[in-house]
Amino acid sequence: MQDCWETRHAKIDAGRFGPWAVVTGASSGIGREAASQIAANGINLVLVSRRREVLASLGEELAARHGIAFRVIEADLSQSGAEKAVIEGTGDIDAGLLFSSAGTGQPGAFLAFKSEQLREIVHLNGLSHLLLTHHFSQRFARRGRGGTLLVSALGADSGIPFHAVPAAAKGLVNTLGRSLHPNSSGRASGLAC
């Protein structure tokens, strides 16, 4: 079994996935690191988040360092319909890898939030992952190859005090991943690092 260090620095086979990867939440955190790791393997990037300038700077840095091509899609995935920008912005390329990591926390008492705030966090942390996974899975099935990596949150399955809505939405992502790729025990295959 690989340890976390080996997993973090594993080679990604472009032949298995294709020349382009889509990374949501690419402007910071896990998404930014994933973009760096993917680019280091020579795979072109579609960088997605709300912050166009940050994405452009990251894309230029990774292109210079690794010789990859990139494109930026500015999309606020907390908004209903925002996934259409990602779908339309990738329709002309051979995208074979989706790294879906967009998300944020929303700490506070459940009753303190307005319903619109709840809708936005559920869309960002859960529904956007579901809709993009559905779209790209159809594309991958047609082309006969591809892969999706879904990023959730520790504690999402068991709940997180004062983070009820983000935990519930990320629980959807956990369940989606396990449902789409179970091993013989019915649990998701792979490592949690």
Side-chain angles (χ1 to χ4, degrees), residues 23-109:
V23 181
T24 69
S27 62
S28 64
I30 294 170
R32 184 180 180 98
E33 178 60 23
S36 296
Q37 295 282 328
I38 293 166
N41 284 276
I43 298 174
N44 302 317
L45 292 170
V46 178
L47 303 169
V48 181
S49 86
R50 295 175 294 180
R51 301 185 295 169
R52 175 178 290 282
E53 291 157 4
V54 174
L55 294 177
S57 177
L58 175 62
E60 290 166 7
E61 174 190 328
L62 296 176
R65 187 180 317 147
H66 302 294
I68 55 111
F70 75 94
R71 69 174 54 167
V72 168
I73 298 176
E74 182 178 10
D76 182 352
L77 294 175
S78 72
Q79 300 302 306
S80 179
E83 61 282 344
K84 292 176 187 172
V86 180
I87 293 167
E88 292 169 2
T90 59
D92 64 331
I93 59 172
D94 187 15
L97 181 61
L98 171 64
F99 191 95
S100 189
S101 66
T104 192
Q106 188 187 48

Side-chain angles (χ1 to χ4, degrees), residues 145-179:
R145 65 182 177 154
T148 299
L149 291 132
L150 297 168
V151 176
S152 184
L154 293 173
D157 283 340
S158 58
I160 304 169
F162 296 99
H163 280 74
V165 178
K170 286 297 189 174
L172 179 153
V173 176
N174 284 352
T175 303
L176 176 65
R178 282 197 301 274
S179 298

